[in-house]
Amino acid sequence: MAEVAETSSRWSWWEAWPMMGLVLLGGVMLFARLGTLPYHGEESRRVQIAREMVHSGDYLVPRLQGHPWPTKPPLFYWMLAGLIAATDSLDPWLLRIPSALATLFTALLLAWYVRPSLSRLGAFATGFVFLTFGDILDSGYDAEIDATFTLFVTASLLLWHGGMQRGWSPTLCWTLGYACAALAFLTKGLQGPIYFGAATYAWLLFTRRWRWLFHPGQLLGIAVFLSLALAWMLPFAATEGTNALRAVFVSESVGRTMGGWDAFLRHLLMFPMKWAGSLLPWSPLLLAYVSASVRQQVRTQHAETCFAGLVFALAFPTCWLPPGGEERYLRPVLPCVAAMLGTLLHLLAEPATRLLMLHWVWRGFAAAWAVALVVGGMGLLGVSLVAGPTRLPDWQEPWPLALGFALLATGVGGGLIWVARRAEPWHTAPAFLMVGLLAWVCVTGVLVNRGLRRQVDGVGAVARLRSQLPGKVRLVSYGPVNHLFLLLYEDPVERQDWPQHPHDSSALAGDFFCFDAFRGAHPPLPFVWEEVARLSMDRTHRPQPDNVVIVGRRVEPHEAVVRRGDPTLHGFFP
């Protein structure tokens, strides 16, 4: 299994097997159940904005219900809008393809990047680790901005440094880096170019590469960045104003607070733990970097891993220290963490490696996951066979699936125990493949099935609502209404201000309206109305849903007088 890392740039089918393996495994992992779950979280907002772009023909300003929504730049919306315009479909399977491809391309880029200093096995392991991070398995294919943003940030950093390591011209490296940073900027904002600038300048200062730092080719890269960024920013600012442009880049970060020092200190403690949890099953291996001998070997032989570690070290405090920071904000640097982990797996597969701490961590890693897999497999089987229908129903699988998973988990656990006892170099490849593939089975199989059992049937709820409404009903919303409801309802919903007086609303008596009601609570309406439907837009069933859309009908005055005292009526009686 072990092999000496080659620095030659020649290419052959044998040299390409890490890429082909990642394409095969990554394609299965990402596309196997791509459209199984309905839209959730922010996915429906992204799709609805893209749909309104197609319907309005305005691709400059992201809008919801016809109103500007200046919270993100438009590049990802353009991708979705292109698919919608080409296919006239809103199917989750279709509109998740850009994110799935972005995740796959990120893994391939990683394998290419680390190849000069790692073996073919190490290059494959690096991409494979990234694909099997828990966070990536869970949401790496969602119709959300993160996967595409991660690809562009990764490309800006790794093409720049990878080109440098391969002897490319500084002009080419700076141009590619700044171009990809501009694409990241147009996808999510300032985070991408800030990471690119901080990492590249810090690396050049640490390594004293003054020629690269002051190379005139950097001016071309900056010009490319400005050309791409300003091509959208200037028309947007001319249309919506500079305040709206500023809101695109700062609106979601301003005003985040932690509610006092105790909450802030709790955040400082919990953030690293949550982040490490999102990187399971691989994050425990990072403990090997506590060893000075491991760090010394990486520093002297693996420049790519050193650069990846620098990027991570610069990025981590930017998400950890600010109030309200979340572990998902570190998604753009997960490829750098994968490079650090892939290097450890490469070292483990090398017979000449004599790093005691690394082998101890590897044995502990294998033993811990062996126990966890056996316990988890037997636990799922027990819940599925023994528990009644009212106990842990979300976890109950049909007994053949539960038995198959238990046997698979037990078999992999037994194999990992054998690895933990012997820890030979040639055990590395089958061990990390077993761990990664079973992680995929757990997330894509068990957890996705659980999500299906817990999901709210929003499609069915909206279909039932449509059956209650007249054929050509005009539905308006008081204030912005939930984006998932807009997407499922399909017809345009005109947005109006919340009425303060009976004649504020342009909705005539007898017309239908809707509004958001967090946990069912809402301000009073200044007229008599009756509730037609109450729809949960939550991802999962809850006794008291958080995201509720209430649909009502305004009652005519004479009908309100006749029905005075009717408990189904609400609002202000004349």
Side-chain angles (χ1 to χ4, degrees), residues 166-304:
R166 287 166 169 80
W168 297 359
S169 72
T171 300
L172 177 60
C173 293
W174 281 117
T175 302
L176 289 174
Y178 273 110
C180 292
L183 295 177
F185 175 77
L186 290 172
T187 302
K188 200 174 182 179
L190 295 170
Q191 187 182 14
I194 288 174
Y195 283 179
F196 174 73
T200 55
Y201 276 66
W203 180 259
L204 294 177
L205 290 173
F206 289 159
T207 58
R208 299 183 179 182
R209 299 199 177 201
W210 312 118
R211 175 175 169 268
W212 276 73
L213 186 61
F214 299 107
H215 195 279
Q218 185 177 179
L219 297 178
L220 177 60
I222 294 173
V224 170
F225 177 92
L226 292 175
S227 299
L228 292 172
L230 294 177
W232 171 76
M233 293 173 65
L234 292 179
F236 180 89
T239 302
E240 298 297 320
T242 55
N243 287 335
L245 181 63
R246 187 181 305 111
V248 170
F249 302 108
V250 302
S251 62
E252 294 193 346
S253 58
V254 173
R256 288 174 180 156
T257 60
M258 295 302 298
W261 280 105
D262 56 338
F264 178 62
L265 294 175
R266 186 165 56 251
H267 162 75
L268 293 182
L269 176 64
M270 296 302 297
F271 180 92
M273 299 170 62
K274 292 180 179 179
W275 175 79
S278 71
L279 266 61
L280 290 173
W282 305 109
S283 50
L285 288 176
L286 291 172
L287 291 173
Y289 281 101
V290 173
S291 169
S293 59
V294 173
R295 296 197 305 273
Q296 176 65 21
Q297 181 151 345
V298 170
R299 186 165 54 248
T300 56
Q301 299 182 17
H302 304 283
E304 290 80 8

Side-chain angles (χ1 to χ4, degrees), residues 504-547:
D504 281 351
S505 172
S506 63
L508 302 175
D511 277 358
F512 291 81
F513 59 87
C514 62
F515 53 84
D516 277 354
F518 181 74
R519 295 185 178 176
H522 59 87
L525 287 168
F527 50 78
V528 181
W529 62 282
E530 65 176 344
E531 183 176 309
V532 175
R534 182 176 295 241
L535 299 86
S536 170
M537 294 291 109
D538 282 352
R539 181 177 182 177
T540 59
H541 287 287
R542 297 179 182 176
Q544 184 180 16
D546 286 342
N547 301 293

Side-chain angles (χ1 to χ4, degrees), residues 287-535:
L287 291 173
Y289 281 101
V290 173
S291 169
S293 59
V294 173
R295 296 197 305 273
Q296 176 65 21
Q297 181 151 345
V298 170
R299 186 165 54 248
T300 56
Q301 299 182 17
H302 304 283
E304 290 80 8
T305 309
C306 292
F307 180 72
L310 173 66
V311 173
F312 172 71
L314 292 172
F316 191 84
T318 67
C319 302
W320 179 37
L321 297 179
E326 297 181 19
E327 58 275 10
R328 64 185 176 89
Y329 300 158
L330 278 172
R331 174 79 69 81
V333 297
L334 288 193
C336 295
V337 181
M340 298 167 64
L341 289 162
T343 302
L344 296 178
L345 294 172
H346 160 81
L347 293 174
L348 285 165
E350 291 291 322
T353 300
R354 295 293 183 266
L355 298 171
L356 189 60
M357 178 67 174
L358 176 57
H359 286 286
W360 283 353
V361 170
W362 176 244
R363 288 187 174 191
F365 171 86
W369 279 114
V371 173
L373 291 174
V374 172
V375 172
M378 292 297 105
L380 182 68
L381 181 61
V383 167
S384 302
L385 294 180
V386 178
T390 60
R391 299 182 61 186
L392 301 174
D394 297 339
W395 292 100
Q396 293 181 16
E397 296 282 356
W399 74 263
L401 291 179
L403 179 60
F405 178 79
L407 293 175
L408 178 63
T410 302
V412 171
L416 291 177
I417 291 175
W418 183 63
V419 168
R421 293 181 60 188
R422 295 176 176 269
E424 296 292 337
W426 68 271
H427 295 162
T428 304
F432 79 70
L433 281 171
M434 286 191 295
V435 171
L437 290 174
L438 198 61
W440 170 65
V441 171
C442 289
V443 174
T444 309
V446 177
L447 294 185
V448 168
N449 288 347
R450 179 173 181 260
L452 288 171
R453 286 188 284 269
R454 299 180 67 203
Q455 72 176 7
V456 173
D457 183 14
V459 175
V462 172
R464 289 189 292 273
L465 168 67
R466 297 298 295 257
S467 68
Q468 295 176 257
L469 300 178
K472 293 292 185 179
V473 67
R474 171 176 171 259
L475 186 66
V476 301
S477 74
Y478 295 147
V481 74
N482 184 276
H483 41 85
L484 179 58
F485 175 79
L486 291 172
L487 185 66
L488 298 178
Y489 188 72
E490 296 186 357
D491 290 342
V493 178
E494 180 187 344
R495 173 178 160 184
Q496 300 178 0
D497 293 332
W498 190 273
Q500 302 297 322
H501 303 284
H503 301 294
D504 281 351
S505 172
S506 63
L508 302 175
D511 277 358
F512 291 81
F513 59 87
C514 62
F515 53 84
D516 277 354
F518 181 74
R519 295 185 178 176
H522 59 87
L525 287 168
F527 50 78
V528 181
W529 62 282
E530 65 176 344
E531 183 176 309
V532 175
R534 182 176 295 241
L535 299 86

